[in-house]
Amino acid sequence: MAHQFLVELGTEELPPTALKHLSKAFVQGVEAGLKAKKLSFDSVKPYATPRRLAMLVEGLAESTPTETIKVWGPPAKIAFDADGNPTKAAEAFANKNAIALSELKSENDGKIDKLVFSKTAGGEAAEDLLADIVATSLANLPINKRMRWGASRTEFVRPVHWLVMMLDNRAMEGEILGLKAGNKTRGHRFHYNQEIELLNAADYAATLANTGKVVADFSIRQAEIVKQVNAAAQTLGGTAVIDADLLDEVTALVEFPVALAGKFEESFLSIPSEALVSSMKEHQKYFHLVDNDGQLLPNFITLSNIVSEDPAQVIDGNERVIRPRLADAAFFFDTDKKTTLVAQRERLKTVVFQAKLGTIFDKTERISRLSKLIAEKIGESGTLASRAAELCKSDLVSNMVYEFPDMQGIAGYHYAQNDGEDAEVAQAINEQYMPKFAGDELPATATGSIIALADRLDTITGIFGIGQKPTGSKDPFALRRSSLGALRILVEKEYDLDLRELISAAAENFNELSNTNVVDDVITYMIERFRAWYEEANISAEVFQAVSAKGLSTPLDINNRVYAVAEFSKLAEAQALAAANKRVSNILAKMDHKPAETVDHSLLSETAEKALAEKLAQLEAKVKPLLDLANYTDALKLLAALRQPVDTFFDDVMVMTDDDKVRENRLALLQKLRQLFLEVADISLLAVK
């Protein structure tokens, strides 16, 4: 018989940014516990509000399945002596399984005869197991810091107040976190702050909604918020910008959402919109509105946790709260504009970037030199790149960034415009931190791309240079993210730049670095970041290894080769040629000398070796122009035609013949074959092991 199991833990308000994650982990823990006990179930429905974590398990089995288990003992020849009497080994096995010696039996386990005891396991009632399963899941929740309350030694993320555990229409017995289970939940803190008796587990969500004024389902509550926010925005003639993280947080703050629209003075729109959005989003949890052109409107939408009899008062309160924040932003912005970025930059001389690597001012000097080098290499303005690099960190000491840290770069962009700097310099200051995360946009301007690249390379080189490369768990300077960002810029902007040259130049900009292998270490580290990149693109590790085996250091070139090899690996000829290359590689590796660089055609006697030599010569002439253009995809497609002559060669020709000259000539032919493929990658690494 299938049952419905309801569990709800009532708490003080849970951390809003963690609620969704806690709910998911709670459900996963219970599911894992049920599966570990072999208790079958159909589905689990999660519920989560600021004051409760709950779930409803549908189709739960009444008990664990019964099964016969064979317990194997010592071999029969050890269990009994020559006269057939039980030995101490047999006595120990009997005592362990609580059976009489006369009940001992032996059976063949597929190899030898052993003592065996068959027993029935399972059949445990689900009701007897559920409390422990729930308790274990709660104990394993990802809570960074647990708290205690009152005189109790019980610990949880927040104080707990009630516990519901029901099987169908009856309350279960049990105790978790010092609370005795029952069938009484509680309603909304303001609208129905009293106990509610649940008559049936299946009615949990409906009872809370109808009686308790609580929308228990996180996803339903979130959908209702989106609906209300969009409706309010439409009434105001705008579009609400609904950030996913903010939406999750707001959903975790209310049990009965009510969207309310407010406004602020249009004069505040003279402030950079990013500062206004930051004030509304980060500090007040408001959704902002934009018009059809994407311009910020002087309105916001907030979520209330109550249905107010006088919503105008609630709106007025929210407007009075946001007004001082916006006034502060306006003051900071106006004050900062009275000082130029050039003047602000002088203050960076007292701001330490890293104790062994100098100040932020020193960093801008290094970025400037490296940016100028990069600009010259890709045919862009070194003057603009150098200027943008010098000013790119000046806004870090501004009042605006001090109050709104996420305005870094953005504030600098506005101040550069105010100072009359070149438009591209101003834009580059804004773009220097792009991409900020995986999938983020790259800088739109060449100058922005250059200083974003130079900044990252300077940081990575400096940190590696003082021996503080990231470990598995610690990456305080976000070097992994910086490396991926730099690689994306180089590849997606199609900058044909050699990392070795850039890292060497970056290293020379430092007065002294303790790590003498810094260039090689940084290149190895950065190129290795490609591995995860290609995994996400569903390109096999073998393809990346085939290219990385060449020890290249130009990311754009590496990327082109990887995609070319990935396409080659899909061809029908790929595996045979990979295996052949591996065979050739093994043969050549055993040689104590290098074969000749040229093939003596007068020594070719076998039809198969002549055919291979002829085909190699034909393809070499066709492939070389493609390789010169870095057209690796078409080059490998042409080389796929070598499969038949290579297969025939290995079938018909003995390479290691007794004739020294013929042997050496055949080795030279194989080396020529291998070198032709190695112009692109070591495809021997594609061979199936």
Side-chain angles (χ1 to χ4, degrees):
M1 179 179 177
H3 298 277
Q4 292 176 314
F5 169 60
L6 171 70
V7 57
E8 179 196 56
L9 180 67
T11 70
E12 291 291 331
E13 274 70 10
L14 293 161
T17 55
L19 180 62
K20 192 175 181 180
H21 188 45
L22 289 173
S23 176
K24 183 179 179 180
F26 184 29
V27 169
Q28 289 176 339
V30 170
E31 286 179 336
L34 293 173
K35 290 174 183 177
K37 292 295 184 181
K38 299 182 180 179
L39 275 169
S40 63
F41 59 94
D42 293 336
S43 62
V44 179
K45 175 64 180 175
Y47 296 99
T49 79
R51 300 178 67 208
R52 67 201 78 224
L53 289 172
M55 74 185 77
L56 179 66
V57 181
E58 299 271 10
L60 179 66
E62 189 165 359
S63 61
T64 61
T66 56
E67 52 187 342
T68 300
I69 298 175
K70 287 185 177 181
V71 181
W72 295 97
K77 62 182 181 181
I78 296 175
F80 300 97
D81 61 21
D83 298 325
N85 297 314
T87 63
K88 288 185 177 180
E91 291 175 0
F93 181 71
N95 291 334
K96 179 181 178 182
N97 293 286
I99 57 175
L101 289 172
S102 59
E103 296 180 75
L104 289 176
K105 296 178 182 179
S106 64
E107 190 177 311
N108 194 286
D109 70 347
K111 295 181 180 179
I112 60 173
D113 287 342
K114 288 183 176 181
L115 291 186
V116 65
F117 171 62
S118 298
K119 65 179 182 179
T120 301
E124 300 170 280
E127 188 169 353
D128 296 334
L129 303 172
L130 291 171
D132 285 341
I133 290 173
V134 171
T136 300
S137 180
L138 290 170
N140 292 329
L141 290 184
I143 301 170
N144 292 329
K145 190 174 182 180
R146 295 173 182 261
M147 62 185 298
R148 294 179 184 173
W149 54 93
S152 171
R153 295 188 65 81
T154 303
E155 293 183 341
F156 196 58
V157 62
R158 291 292 184 270
V160 297
H161 292 303
W162 74 88
L163 174 67
V164 173
M165 285 204 303
M166 294 183 68
L167 207 56
D168 298 326
N169 59 358
R170 61 186 179 84
M172 290 174 50
E173 293 185 359
E175 184 174 315
I176 298 174
L177 295 174
L179 298 171
K180 288 188 177 181
N183 66 338
K184 292 181 180 179
T185 183
R186 295 185 190 177
H188 193 283
R189 185 180 286 280
F190 305 110
H191 287 306
Y192 199 87
N193 193 17
Q194 53 190 291
E195 289 185 341
I196 302 172
E197 185 175 2
L198 297 169
L199 302 179
N200 195 299
D203 298 334
Y204 170 73
T207 301
L208 270 179
N210 297 331
T211 304
K213 285 289 185 182
V214 172
V215 182
D217 189 315
F218 190 96
S219 59
I220 291 177
R221 198 165 66 253
Q222 189 164 85
E224 177 62 23
I225 289 172
V226 171
K227 178 182 175 182
Q228 291 188 28
V229 168
N230 284 333
Q234 189 174 9
T235 301
L236 293 168
T239 301
V241 179
I242 302 178
D243 176 81
D245 290 337
L246 178 58
L247 179 60
D248 281 345
E249 187 173 358
V250 169
T251 306
L253 283 167
V254 297
E255 291 196 317
F256 194 86
V258 178
L260 300 170
K263 63 182 184 300
F264 55 86
E265 289 82 352
E266 288 193 28
S267 59
F268 286 127
L269 294 178
S270 62
I271 310 169
S273 60
E274 295 87 354
L276 301 181
V277 170
S278 178
S279 291
M280 289 186 279
K281 176 183 169 184
E282 302 297 334
H283 298 280
Q284 304 305 136
K285 313 306 175 189
Y286 297 164
F287 295 100
H288 63 281
L289 277 65
V290 295
D291 61 19
N292 292 334
D293 296 323
Q295 298 301 308
L296 191 67
L297 291 174
N299 303 95
F300 63 84
I301 299 172
T302 184
L303 267 294
S304 174
N305 193 33
I306 61 171
V307 180
S308 175
E309 294 180 357
D310 188 2
Q313 290 285 351
V314 180
I315 294 171
D316 180 66
N318 280 279
E319 290 175 345
R320 283 190 282 114
V321 168
I322 193 64
R323 194 170 291 115
R325 293 287 305 171
L326 301 185
D328 286 347
F331 173 77
F332 296 141
F333 186 56
D334 290 338
T335 301
D336 288 337
K337 287 194 296 184
K338 295 175 182 177
T339 308
T340 65
L341 287 178
V342 173
Q344 294 278 40
R345 184 174 180 241
E346 288 299 309
R347 296 175 58 195
L348 295 177
K349 292 180 177 180
T350 62
V351 182
V352 175
F353 165 61
Q354 203 282 339
K356 296 180 180 179
L357 301 177
T359 65
I360 299 289
F361 181 92
D362 297 330
K363 182 173 178 59
T364 61
E365 290 281 281
R366 296 193 300 267
I367 298 173
S368 177
R369 289 194 289 270
L370 188 56
S371 292
K372 189 173 183 180
L373 172 67
I374 294 172
E376 291 170 352
K377 285 187 171 298
I378 62 175
E380 297 293 341
S381 170
T383 301
L384 289 179
S386 179
R387 180 64 170 179
E390 289 172 356
L391 302 178
C392 69
K393 306 298 180 183
S394 295
D395 66 351
L396 294 180
V397 290
S398 68
N399 292 293
M400 180 68 86
V401 172
Y402 181 81
E403 185 67 19
F404 303 100
D406 52 357
M407 288 291 290
Q408 293 178 32
I410 300 169
Y413 162 75
H414 289 284
Y415 299 148
Q417 285 188 318
N418 183 68
D419 293 349
E421 296 288 345
D422 187 281
E424 183 149 337
V425 169
Q427 188 65 30
I429 293 173
N430 183 29
E431 295 175 339
Q432 65 178 299
Y433 299 107
M434 300 169 68
K436 294 180 181 179
F437 50 84
D440 189 23
E441 293 181 4
L442 295 182
T445 65
T447 303
S449 299
I450 291 166
I451 66 168
L453 177 60
D455 187 10
R456 286 166 170 80
L457 295 181
D458 175 79
T459 298
I460 298 167
T461 304
I463 299 302
F464 267 79
I466 58 174
Q468 292 190 17
K469 63 181 181 180
T471 62
S473 59
K474 294 183 179 180
D475 186 12
F477 286 88
L479 300 190
R480 292 183 183 88
R481 188 168 68 241
S482 292
S483 296
L484 284 170
L487 291 173
R488 278 194 62 196
I489 292 170
L490 288 166
V491 170
E492 295 179 34
K493 292 291 184 178
E494 298 186 352
Y495 293 156
D496 192 14
L497 297 171
D498 188 343
L499 269 180
R500 183 169 297 280
E501 188 174 353
L502 297 183
I503 300 301
S504 297
E508 290 173 2
N509 285 333
F510 291 92
N511 293 328
E512 184 179 357
L513 294 175
S514 58
N515 179 6
T516 56
N517 295 318
V518 61
V519 175
D520 288 334
D521 287 351
V522 170
I523 292 172
T524 300
Y525 178 81
M526 290 188 68
I527 297 303
E528 184 62 23
R529 298 312 103 198
F530 262 139
R531 188 182 299 274
W533 179 328
Y534 295 126
E535 282 178 2
E536 291 181 5
N538 294 317
I539 293 175
S540 71
E542 290 76 15
V543 168
F544 173 67
Q545 289 168 1
V547 176
S548 64
K550 287 185 62 63
L552 303 170
S553 57
T554 301
L556 179 61
D557 187 50
I558 292 171
N559 188 68
N560 290 339
R561 291 170 189 264
V562 166
Y563 277 95
V565 175
E567 285 301 308
F568 172 78
S569 68
K570 299 174 185 176
L571 300 177
E573 300 88 350
Q575 271 304 309
L577 287 170
N581 268 268
K582 187 173 184 178
R583 185 173 179 179
V584 172
S585 176
N586 290 338
I587 291 171
L588 296 177
K590 294 176 183 177
M591 304 300 298
D592 57 3
H593 63 282
K594 265 186 91 174
E597 292 185 4
T598 59
V599 176
D600 186 344
H601 288 264
S602 66
L603 292 174
L604 300 175
S605 58
E606 301 286 345
T607 302
E609 62 181 337
K610 289 180 180 178
L612 177 58
E614 183 180 351
K615 194 66 175 177
L616 277 173
Q618 291 174 358
L619 289 176
E620 189 173 22
K622 293 179 180 179
V623 165
K624 191 176 185 308
L626 294 175
L627 294 176
D628 291 341
L629 295 172
N631 187 350
Y632 306 117
T633 301
D634 288 344
L636 286 175
K637 283 180 181 177
L638 284 176
L639 292 179
L642 284 167
R643 176 184 176 176
Q644 189 274 327
V646 168
D647 285 349
T648 305
F649 176 87
F650 279 116
D651 287 341
D652 298 351
V653 178
M654 179 182 289
V655 177
M656 306 306 287
T657 181
D658 292 336
D659 188 318
D660 291 346
K661 289 184 178 180
V662 173
R663 182 177 65 248
E664 289 298 317
N665 199 53
R666 288 173 179 171
L667 288 171
L669 180 62
L670 291 180
Q671 178 175 257
K672 196 175 189 65
L673 166 72
R674 178 127 174 85
Q675 285 301 127
L676 196 53
F677 278 99
L678 280 174
E679 288 293 325
V680 180
D682 185 355
I683 71 161
S684 70
L685 295 172
L686 300 179
V688 176
K689 298 178 181 178

